[in-house]
Amino acid sequence: MPNRDYSAGRHFLQIPGPTNVPDRVLRAMDHPTIDHRGPAFTDLGKRCLDGMKTIFKTDTHVVIYPASGTGAWEAALVNLLCEGDTVLMVETGHFASLWQKMATSLGLKTEFLETDWRRGVDPQAVEDRLRDDSAGEIRAVCVVHNETSTGSRSRIGEVRKAMDAAGHTALLMVDTISSLASIDYRHDEWGVDVTVSGSQKGLMLPPGLSFNALSERAIAVSRNGGMNRSYWDWHDQIAANASGAFPFTPATNLLYGLAEAIDMLHEEGLDNVFARHDRHAEATRRAVQAWGLEVLCQEPQDYSSSLTAVLLPEGHDADALRATILQHFDMSLGNGLSRLAGKVFRIGHLGDFNDLMLMGTLSGVEMGLKLADIPHQSGGAATAMQYLAQTADVRSAS
Ligand SMILES: *Cc1c(COP(=O)(O)O)cnc(C)c1O
Protein backbone atom coordinates (compact mmCIF):
# COMPACT_ATOMS: atom_id res chain seq x y z
CA MET A 1 0.00 0.00 0.00
CA PRO A 2 1.38 3.42 -0.84
CA ASN A 3 1.76 5.73 2.09
CA ARG A 4 -0.83 8.39 1.38
CA ASP A 5 0.62 10.67 4.02
CA TYR A 6 3.87 11.13 2.17
CA SER A 7 4.53 14.71 1.05
CA ALA A 8 7.10 14.97 -1.71
CA GLY A 9 9.97 17.42 -1.31
CA ARG A 10 11.22 19.09 1.84
CA HIS A 11 8.86 20.45 4.44
CA PHE A 12 9.29 24.23 4.85
CA LEU A 13 9.87 24.77 8.57
CA GLN A 14 9.47 28.54 8.66
CA ILE A 15 8.59 28.93 12.32
CA PRO A 16 11.06 31.09 14.25
CA GLY A 17 12.58 28.04 15.85
CA PRO A 18 13.21 25.19 15.72
CA THR A 19 14.73 26.02 12.36
CA ASN A 20 15.79 23.94 9.37
CA VAL A 21 18.71 21.70 10.34
CA PRO A 22 21.33 21.65 7.55
CA ASP A 23 22.50 18.33 6.12
CA ARG A 24 26.03 18.94 7.35
CA VAL A 25 24.78 19.16 10.94
CA LEU A 26 22.59 16.08 10.52
CA ARG A 27 25.55 14.14 9.18
CA ALA A 28 27.83 15.35 11.94
CA MET A 29 25.38 14.03 14.53
CA ASP A 30 25.15 10.66 12.74
CA HIS A 31 27.99 9.26 14.78
CA PRO A 32 28.24 6.49 17.37
CA THR A 33 27.90 7.95 20.84
CA ILE A 34 31.27 7.83 22.58
CA ASP A 35 32.49 7.56 26.18
CA HIS A 36 32.03 11.05 27.56
CA ARG A 37 34.75 10.35 30.14
CA GLY A 38 37.18 8.91 27.61
CA PRO A 39 40.07 10.66 25.84
CA ALA A 40 38.23 11.07 22.52
CA PHE A 41 35.57 13.23 24.12
CA THR A 42 37.84 15.99 25.40
CA ASP A 43 38.49 17.33 21.92
CA LEU A 44 34.80 17.59 21.14
CA GLY A 45 34.05 19.21 24.50
CA LYS A 46 36.77 21.82 24.01
CA ARG A 47 35.73 22.58 20.43
CA CYS A 48 32.21 23.31 21.63
CA LEU A 49 33.13 25.26 24.78
CA ASP A 50 35.78 27.38 23.03
CA GLY A 51 33.72 27.69 19.86
CA MET A 52 30.69 29.04 21.69
CA LYS A 53 32.83 31.80 23.18
CA THR A 54 33.48 33.06 19.65
CA ILE A 55 29.73 33.03 18.91
CA PHE A 56 28.78 34.93 22.08
CA LYS A 57 31.89 37.12 21.63
CA THR A 58 33.21 36.53 25.11
CA ASP A 59 36.58 35.59 26.59
CA THR A 60 35.10 34.44 29.90
CA HIS A 61 33.11 31.19 29.98
CA VAL A 62 30.13 29.50 28.35
CA VAL A 63 28.20 26.80 30.23
CA ILE A 64 26.41 24.20 28.06
CA TYR A 65 23.36 22.37 29.43
CA PRO A 66 21.41 19.46 27.97
CA ALA A 67 18.16 21.43 28.30
CA SER A 68 15.82 23.63 26.33
CA GLY A 69 16.30 27.40 26.50
CA THR A 70 13.92 27.59 29.44
CA GLY A 71 16.42 25.63 31.52
CA ALA A 72 19.13 28.18 30.78
CA TRP A 73 16.74 30.98 31.89
CA GLU A 74 16.39 29.21 35.24
CA ALA A 75 20.14 28.62 35.49
CA ALA A 76 20.81 32.34 35.01
CA LEU A 77 18.38 33.31 37.78
CA VAL A 78 19.27 30.68 40.40
CA ASN A 79 23.03 31.14 40.14
CA LEU A 80 22.88 34.88 40.88
CA LEU A 81 19.70 35.84 42.72
CA CYS A 82 18.15 35.01 46.10
CA GLU A 83 14.51 34.67 47.06
CA GLY A 84 13.06 38.11 47.68
CA ASP A 85 15.52 39.90 45.37
CA THR A 86 14.02 42.45 43.01
CA VAL A 87 14.56 42.16 39.26
CA LEU A 88 13.57 44.64 36.58
CA MET A 89 12.14 43.06 33.43
CA VAL A 90 10.50 44.53 30.33
CA GLU A 91 7.29 43.09 28.94
CA THR A 92 8.27 43.04 25.27
CA GLY A 93 5.98 40.07 24.55
CA HIS A 94 5.16 36.45 25.33
CA PHE A 95 8.71 35.24 26.00
CA ALA A 96 9.57 38.13 28.29
CA SER A 97 6.32 37.33 30.14
CA LEU A 98 7.26 33.67 30.53
CA TRP A 99 10.67 34.61 31.96
CA GLN A 100 8.97 37.01 34.37
CA LYS A 101 6.55 34.27 35.42
CA MET A 102 9.47 31.93 36.08
CA ALA A 103 11.23 34.59 38.16
CA THR A 104 8.08 35.06 40.23
CA SER A 105 7.67 31.34 40.81
CA LEU A 106 11.28 31.16 41.99
CA GLY A 107 10.42 33.68 44.70
CA LEU A 108 11.89 36.79 43.08
CA LYS A 109 10.09 40.13 43.17
CA THR A 110 9.67 41.35 39.64
CA GLU A 111 9.01 44.79 38.32
CA PHE A 112 7.66 44.52 34.83
CA LEU A 113 7.84 47.59 32.57
CA GLU A 114 4.93 47.37 30.16
CA THR A 115 5.03 47.82 26.39
CA ASP A 116 2.35 47.41 23.72
CA TRP A 117 4.14 44.30 22.35
CA ARG A 118 5.03 46.23 19.19
CA ARG A 119 8.59 47.36 19.98
CA GLY A 120 11.73 46.44 21.87
CA VAL A 121 12.98 47.68 25.23
CA ASP A 122 13.07 51.47 25.65
CA PRO A 123 16.54 52.06 27.14
CA GLN A 124 15.37 55.42 28.55
CA ALA A 125 12.61 53.69 30.54
CA VAL A 126 15.21 51.37 32.06
CA GLU A 127 17.45 54.32 32.90
CA ASP A 128 14.57 56.28 34.49
CA ARG A 129 13.54 53.33 36.66
CA LEU A 130 17.11 52.67 37.78
CA ARG A 131 17.66 56.35 38.65
CA ASP A 132 14.63 56.12 40.96
CA ASP A 133 16.12 53.12 42.73
CA SER A 134 18.47 55.10 44.95
CA ALA A 135 18.38 52.33 47.59
CA GLY A 136 19.81 49.93 44.98
CA GLU A 137 17.09 47.33 45.50
CA ILE A 138 17.06 46.16 41.90
CA ARG A 139 19.57 43.32 41.70
CA ALA A 140 19.25 42.53 38.01
CA VAL A 141 17.84 43.79 34.74
CA CYS A 142 16.57 40.93 32.55
CA VAL A 143 15.66 41.59 28.93
CA VAL A 144 14.96 39.60 25.79
CA HIS A 145 17.22 40.57 22.85
CA ASN A 146 14.86 39.29 20.18
CA GLU A 147 11.23 38.92 21.25
CA THR A 148 10.17 35.94 19.16
CA SER A 149 6.45 36.48 19.73
CA THR A 150 6.45 39.95 18.14
CA GLY A 151 9.51 40.21 15.89
CA SER A 152 11.01 43.09 17.87
CA ARG A 153 14.66 43.35 18.75
CA SER A 154 16.01 45.28 21.71
CA ARG A 155 19.16 47.40 21.52
CA ILE A 156 21.24 45.74 24.23
CA GLY A 157 24.25 48.04 23.83
CA GLU A 158 21.94 50.98 24.58
CA VAL A 159 20.38 49.20 27.57
CA ARG A 160 23.92 48.78 28.93
CA LYS A 161 24.62 52.50 28.38
CA ALA A 162 21.35 53.37 30.14
CA MET A 163 22.37 51.29 33.17
CA ASP A 164 25.77 52.97 33.23
CA ALA A 165 24.22 56.42 32.83
CA ALA A 166 22.02 55.72 35.86
CA GLY A 167 25.14 54.67 37.76
CA HIS A 168 23.34 51.50 38.82
CA THR A 169 25.14 48.26 39.69
CA ALA A 170 22.38 45.78 38.77
CA LEU A 171 23.48 42.69 36.86
CA LEU A 172 22.40 42.47 33.23
CA MET A 173 20.88 39.24 31.90
CA VAL A 174 19.85 38.85 28.27
CA ASP A 175 17.87 36.14 26.46
CA THR A 176 19.32 35.60 22.96
CA ILE A 177 17.52 32.33 22.26
CA SER A 178 16.17 33.50 18.89
CA SER A 179 18.95 35.93 17.97
CA LEU A 180 22.32 34.33 18.68
CA ALA A 181 24.12 33.57 15.41
CA SER A 182 21.43 35.49 13.46
CA ILE A 183 21.61 39.06 14.79
CA ASP A 184 24.78 40.85 15.89
CA TYR A 185 25.44 40.20 19.58
CA ARG A 186 28.45 41.10 21.76
CA HIS A 187 28.45 39.65 25.27
CA ASP A 188 31.71 41.22 26.50
CA GLU A 189 31.53 44.54 24.66
CA TRP A 190 27.99 45.19 25.90
CA GLY A 191 28.87 44.27 29.47
CA VAL A 192 26.30 41.51 29.81
CA ASP A 193 26.59 39.32 32.93
CA VAL A 194 24.62 36.32 31.70
CA THR A 195 23.53 35.66 28.14
CA VAL A 196 21.02 32.86 27.74
CA SER A 197 20.65 30.95 24.47
CA GLY A 198 19.44 27.71 22.93
CA SER A 199 20.44 25.35 20.13
CA GLN A 200 17.37 25.19 17.91
CA LYS A 201 17.19 28.65 16.34
CA GLY A 202 20.13 30.57 14.87
CA LEU A 203 22.52 27.76 15.76
CA MET A 204 20.69 25.45 13.30
CA LEU A 205 20.64 22.44 15.64
CA PRO A 206 17.75 20.34 16.87
CA PRO A 207 16.33 21.38 20.27
CA GLY A 208 18.11 20.08 23.34
CA LEU A 209 21.08 22.29 24.22
CA SER A 210 21.10 25.61 25.99
CA PHE A 211 23.76 28.03 27.13
CA ASN A 212 24.77 30.59 29.73
CA ALA A 213 27.60 32.93 28.69
CA LEU A 214 29.04 34.46 31.86
CA SER A 215 30.95 37.54 32.96
CA GLU A 216 33.75 37.52 35.55
CA ARG A 217 31.39 39.42 37.84
CA ALA A 218 28.66 36.81 37.40
CA ILE A 219 31.09 34.04 38.26
CA ALA A 220 32.23 35.93 41.38
CA VAL A 221 28.71 36.79 42.56
CA SER A 222 27.51 33.21 42.07
CA ARG A 223 30.36 31.77 44.12
CA ASN A 224 28.72 32.79 47.41
CA GLY A 225 25.34 33.91 46.10
CA GLY A 226 22.29 32.64 44.33
CA MET A 227 19.67 30.16 45.45
CA ASN A 228 20.00 26.55 46.57
CA ARG A 229 20.72 24.66 43.38
CA SER A 230 22.44 21.57 42.11
CA TYR A 231 21.88 20.61 38.47
CA TRP A 232 22.16 24.21 37.28
CA ASP A 233 25.20 25.15 39.36
CA TRP A 234 27.84 26.86 37.21
CA HIS A 235 30.82 25.91 39.35
CA ASP A 236 30.57 22.14 38.83
CA GLN A 237 30.40 22.90 35.11
CA ILE A 238 33.32 25.30 35.07
CA ALA A 239 35.49 22.85 37.04
CA ALA A 240 34.74 19.94 34.69
CA ASN A 241 34.96 22.11 31.55
CA ALA A 242 38.61 22.92 32.29
CA SER A 243 39.50 19.51 30.84
CA GLY A 244 36.77 19.56 28.16
CA ALA A 245 34.44 17.44 30.30
CA PHE A 246 31.00 17.88 31.87
CA PRO A 247 29.81 17.06 35.41
CA PHE A 248 27.09 14.73 34.09
CA THR A 249 26.36 13.02 30.78
CA PRO A 250 26.37 15.65 28.05
CA ALA A 251 24.18 15.44 24.93
CA THR A 252 27.12 14.00 23.00
CA ASN A 253 25.50 13.78 19.59
CA LEU A 254 24.13 17.30 19.79
CA LEU A 255 27.66 18.43 20.59
CA TYR A 256 28.88 16.83 17.33
CA GLY A 257 26.25 18.92 15.60
CA LEU A 258 27.22 22.04 17.55
CA ALA A 259 30.89 21.77 16.61
CA GLU A 260 29.87 21.50 12.96
CA ALA A 261 27.45 24.45 13.20
CA ILE A 262 30.16 26.64 14.76
CA ASP A 263 32.50 25.74 11.88
CA MET A 264 29.81 26.60 9.34
CA LEU A 265 29.13 29.98 10.94
CA HIS A 266 32.83 30.86 10.79
CA GLU A 267 33.21 29.59 7.24
CA GLU A 268 30.48 32.01 6.19
CA GLY A 269 31.76 34.67 8.58
CA LEU A 270 29.57 36.01 11.38
CA ASP A 271 29.24 39.44 9.76
CA ASN A 272 28.04 37.78 6.55
CA VAL A 273 25.59 35.69 8.55
CA PHE A 274 24.16 38.84 10.14
CA ALA A 275 24.00 40.67 6.78
CA ARG A 276 22.18 37.69 5.26
CA HIS A 277 19.56 37.81 8.01
CA ASP A 278 19.18 41.61 7.71
CA ARG A 279 18.64 41.33 3.97
CA HIS A 280 16.07 38.52 4.22
CA ALA A 281 14.19 40.45 6.88
CA GLU A 282 14.11 43.57 4.71
CA ALA A 283 12.86 41.55 1.71
CA THR A 284 10.14 40.04 3.90
CA ARG A 285 8.97 43.43 5.18
CA ARG A 286 8.81 44.71 1.60
CA ALA A 287 6.60 41.75 0.69
CA VAL A 288 4.31 42.40 3.67
CA GLN A 289 4.01 46.05 2.73
CA ALA A 290 3.23 45.19 -0.90
CA TRP A 291 0.48 42.82 0.28
CA GLY A 292 -0.99 45.79 2.12
CA LEU A 293 -0.60 44.01 5.47
CA GLU A 294 1.02 45.34 8.61
CA VAL A 295 4.32 44.34 10.24
CA LEU A 296 3.56 43.99 13.96
CA CYS A 297 6.74 45.79 15.09
CA GLN A 298 6.13 49.53 14.82
CA GLU A 299 9.61 50.77 15.61
CA PRO A 300 11.89 50.45 12.54
CA GLN A 301 15.06 50.57 14.66
CA ASP A 302 13.70 47.53 16.56
CA TYR A 303 12.84 45.35 13.55
CA SER A 304 13.94 41.77 14.06
CA SER A 305 16.17 40.21 11.44
CA SER A 306 15.28 36.64 12.41
CA LEU A 307 11.51 36.73 12.09
CA THR A 308 8.63 38.95 10.98
CA ALA A 309 5.24 38.93 12.70
CA VAL A 310 2.42 39.95 10.33
CA LEU A 311 -0.93 41.33 11.49
CA LEU A 312 -4.02 40.19 9.65
CA PRO A 313 -6.93 42.57 8.99
CA GLU A 314 -9.62 42.56 11.74
CA GLY A 315 -11.96 39.62 11.54
CA HIS A 316 -9.51 37.29 9.79
CA ASP A 317 -8.02 34.28 11.53
CA ALA A 318 -4.26 33.85 11.26
CA ASP A 319 -4.47 30.24 12.45
CA ALA A 320 -6.88 29.36 9.63
CA LEU A 321 -4.42 30.92 7.19
CA ARG A 322 -1.55 28.90 8.66
CA ALA A 323 -3.62 25.71 8.43
CA THR A 324 -4.37 26.41 4.74
CA ILE A 325 -0.70 26.98 4.00
CA LEU A 326 0.33 23.80 5.83
CA GLN A 327 -2.31 21.76 4.03
CA HIS A 328 -1.57 22.99 0.53
CA PHE A 329 2.10 23.87 0.59
CA ASP A 330 3.57 21.81 3.44
CA MET A 331 4.95 24.88 5.18
CA SER A 332 4.79 25.62 8.91
CA LEU A 333 4.56 29.26 10.01
CA GLY A 334 4.66 30.56 13.57
CA ASN A 335 1.38 31.18 15.40
CA GLY A 336 0.30 34.19 17.41
CA LEU A 337 1.13 33.64 21.09
CA SER A 338 -1.11 34.56 24.06
CA ARG A 339 -2.67 37.97 23.42
CA LEU A 340 -1.67 37.77 19.74
CA ALA A 341 -3.36 34.37 19.18
CA GLY A 342 -5.21 34.29 15.86
CA LYS A 343 -4.19 37.88 15.09
CA VAL A 344 -0.70 37.41 13.70
CA PHE A 345 1.35 34.80 11.93
CA ARG A 346 5.13 34.76 12.14
CA ILE A 347 7.56 34.09 9.31
CA GLY A 348 10.84 32.67 10.55
CA HIS A 349 13.74 33.65 8.30
CA LEU A 350 16.64 32.56 10.43
CA GLY A 351 19.22 29.83 10.56
CA ASP A 352 20.24 27.80 7.50
CA PHE A 353 18.30 29.87 5.00
CA ASN A 354 18.92 31.38 1.58
CA ASP A 355 17.29 33.55 -1.08
CA LEU A 356 15.37 30.79 -2.84
CA MET A 357 14.12 29.37 0.45
CA LEU A 358 12.83 32.86 1.27
CA MET A 359 11.16 33.09 -2.15
CA GLY A 360 9.52 29.69 -1.59
CA THR A 361 8.35 30.88 1.81
CA LEU A 362 6.91 34.19 0.59
CA SER A 363 5.30 32.48 -2.41
CA GLY A 364 3.62 30.02 -0.07
CA VAL A 365 2.34 32.86 2.08
CA GLU A 366 1.03 34.77 -0.93
CA MET A 367 -0.75 31.73 -2.35
CA GLY A 368 -2.16 31.02 1.13
CA LEU A 369 -3.49 34.58 1.45
CA LYS A 370 -5.38 34.02 -1.79
CA LEU A 371 -6.72 30.58 -0.88
CA ALA A 372 -7.81 31.75 2.58
CA ASP A 373 -9.55 34.83 1.14
CA ILE A 374 -7.53 37.31 3.17
CA PRO A 375 -7.90 40.81 1.69
CA HIS A 376 -4.51 41.72 0.23
CA GLN A 377 -2.80 42.91 -2.92
CA SER A 378 -0.82 40.40 -4.91
CA GLY A 379 2.79 41.11 -5.79
CA GLY A 380 4.48 40.83 -2.39
CA ALA A 381 6.64 37.89 -3.43
CA ALA A 382 7.56 39.70 -6.67
CA THR A 383 8.53 42.79 -4.68
CA ALA A 384 10.80 40.69 -2.46
CA MET A 385 12.28 39.00 -5.51
CA GLN A 386 13.12 42.35 -7.05
CA TYR A 387 14.85 43.48 -3.85
CA LEU A 388 16.82 40.23 -3.59
CA ALA A 389 17.96 40.53 -7.20
CA GLN A 390 18.99 44.16 -6.71
CA THR A 391 21.02 43.33 -3.60
CA ALA A 392 22.34 39.92 -4.68
CA ASP A 393 25.94 41.10 -4.62
CA VAL A 394 25.72 41.98 -0.91
CA ARG A 395 26.50 38.37 -0.08
CA SER A 396 29.76 38.04 -1.93
CA ALA A 397 30.84 41.64 -1.36
CA SER A 398 30.53 41.79 2.42
C1 LIG B 1 12.24 29.87 21.87
C2 LIG B 1 12.42 30.90 22.90
C3 LIG B 1 12.40 30.62 24.27
C4 LIG B 1 12.06 29.24 24.79
O1 LIG B 1 13.05 28.33 24.57
P1 LIG B 1 12.79 26.78 24.77
O2 LIG B 1 13.97 26.15 24.11
O3 LIG B 1 11.47 26.48 24.12
O4 LIG B 1 12.75 26.51 26.23
C5 LIG B 1 12.66 31.63 25.15
N1 LIG B 1 12.93 32.89 24.73
C6 LIG B 1 12.93 33.20 23.43
C7 LIG B 1 13.24 34.62 23.03
C8 LIG B 1 12.68 32.24 22.48
O5 LIG B 1 12.68 32.57 21.18
Side-chain angles (χ1 to χ4, degrees), residues 34-36 38-55 58 60-64 211 237-246 250 252 255-256 258-260 262-263 266:
I34 59 170
D35 173 9
H36 61 284
F41 183 84
T42 340
D43 254 9
L44 175 64
K46 283 191 175 144
R47 267 176 79 195
C48 290
L49 290 159
D50 291 343
M52 283 311 293
K53 294 203 302 192
T54 66
I55 305 297
T58 180
T60 306
H61 196 86
V62 176
V63 174
I64 305 178
F211 310 90
Q237 295 275 351
I238 293 170
N241 291 168
S243 60
F246 291 86
T252 309
L255 295 179
Y256 280 118
L258 179 62
E260 186 73 15
I262 293 166
D263 284 352
H266 287 306

Side-chain angles (χ1 to χ4, degrees), residues 96-112:
S97 301
L98 287 179
W99 202 10
Q100 186 260 350
K101 203 170 141 210
M102 171 189 275
T104 305
S105 56
L106 289 170
L108 300 170
K109 280 192 231 148
T110 58
E111 280 195 29
F112 211 22

Side-chain angles (χ1 to χ4, degrees), residues 16 68-71 73 95 144 146-148 175-178 198 200-201:
S68 92
T70 302
W73 265 349
F95 288 99
V144 174
N146 187 66
E147 178 52 73
T148 321
D175 169 346
T176 63
I177 297 176
S178 64
Q200 75 272 27
K201 301 184 186 180

Side-chain angles (χ1 to χ4, degrees), residues 111-385:
E111 280 195 29
F112 211 22
L113 299 180
E114 276 181 29
T115 83
D116 60 0
W117 289 36
R118 301 194 71 168
R119 62 206 72 247
V121 172
D122 173 6
Q124 190 62 50
V126 172
E127 182 176 332
D128 293 347
R129 180 60 196 99
L130 292 178
R131 279 189 194 282
D132 280 348
D133 181 39
S134 46
E137 288 194 342
I138 295 171
R139 294 290 321 275
V141 173
C142 302
V143 291
V144 174
H145 182 216
N146 187 66
E147 178 52 73
T148 321
S149 61
T150 67
S152 306
R153 179 200 55 129
S154 291
R155 288 159 277 134
I156 302 303
E158 291 182 34
V159 171
R160 169 82 266 166
K161 285 197 187 113
M163 293 173 70
D164 294 344
H168 202 286
T169 59
L171 295 153
L172 176 58
M173 303 191 195
V174 181
D175 169 346
T176 63
I177 297 176
S178 64
S179 53
L180 190 76
S182 302
I183 301 173
D184 189 16
Y185 187 78
R186 309 167 186 199
H187 176 88
D188 283 3
E189 187 183 321
W190 293 342
V192 181
D193 292 294
V194 192
T195 303
V196 174
S197 204
S199 56
Q200 75 272 27
K201 301 184 186 180
L203 288 172
M204 312 178 284
L205 294 171
L209 290 179
S210 58
F211 310 90
N212 277 176
L214 311 180
S215 69
E216 294 294 353
R217 183 175 169 217
I219 293 173
V221 169
S222 68
R223 207 163 269 129
N224 300 307
M227 299 183 199
N228 289 333
R229 59 194 185 268
S230 169
Y231 182 84
W232 300 119
D233 187 65
W234 289 336
H235 296 278
D236 294 345
Q237 295 275 351
I238 293 170
N241 291 168
S243 60
F246 291 86
F248 43 74
T249 314
T252 309
N253 288 62
L254 286 171
L255 295 179
Y256 280 118
L258 179 62
E260 186 73 15
I262 293 166
D263 284 352
M264 290 165 69
L265 290 165
H266 287 306
E267 283 169 32
E268 184 175 355
L270 283 178
D271 288 342
N272 294 326
V273 171
F274 303 145
R276 169 164 58 82
H277 284 79
D278 291 343
R279 183 166 160 272
H280 288 157
E282 175 63 28
T284 302
R285 289 189 297 268
R286 288 180 184 220
V288 173
Q289 193 183 23
W291 289 323
L293 300 177
E294 208 181 327
V295 171
L296 181 68
C297 179
Q298 282 183 322
E299 185 65 65
Q301 62 181 340
D302 294 348
Y303 283 149
S304 167
S305 286
S306 60
L307 78 133
T308 302
V310 184
L311 261 177
L312 283 197
E314 279 288 323
H316 291 273
D317 180 4
D319 290 336
L321 169 68
R322 291 189 315 107
T324 299
I325 292 171
L326 179 62
Q327 181 196 343
H328 292 278
F329 307 116
D330 196 24
M331 173 162 71
S332 300
L333 296 167
N335 61 336
L337 294 165
S338 55
R339 72 164 75 158
L340 297 169
K343 297 187 165 77
V344 305
F345 67 93
R346 296 173 297 143
I347 303 172
H349 33 72
L350 74 163
D352 189 48
F353 197 61
N354 65 24
D355 289 14
L356 294 188
M357 292 166 84
L358 179 63
M359 285 317 305
T361 300
L362 296 175
S363 301
V365 172
E366 187 160 335
M367 290 188 285
L369 289 169
K370 201 167 183 64
L371 287 175
D373 275 329
I374 310 286
H376 71 288
Q377 283 126 45
S378 58
T383 302
M385 186 160 69

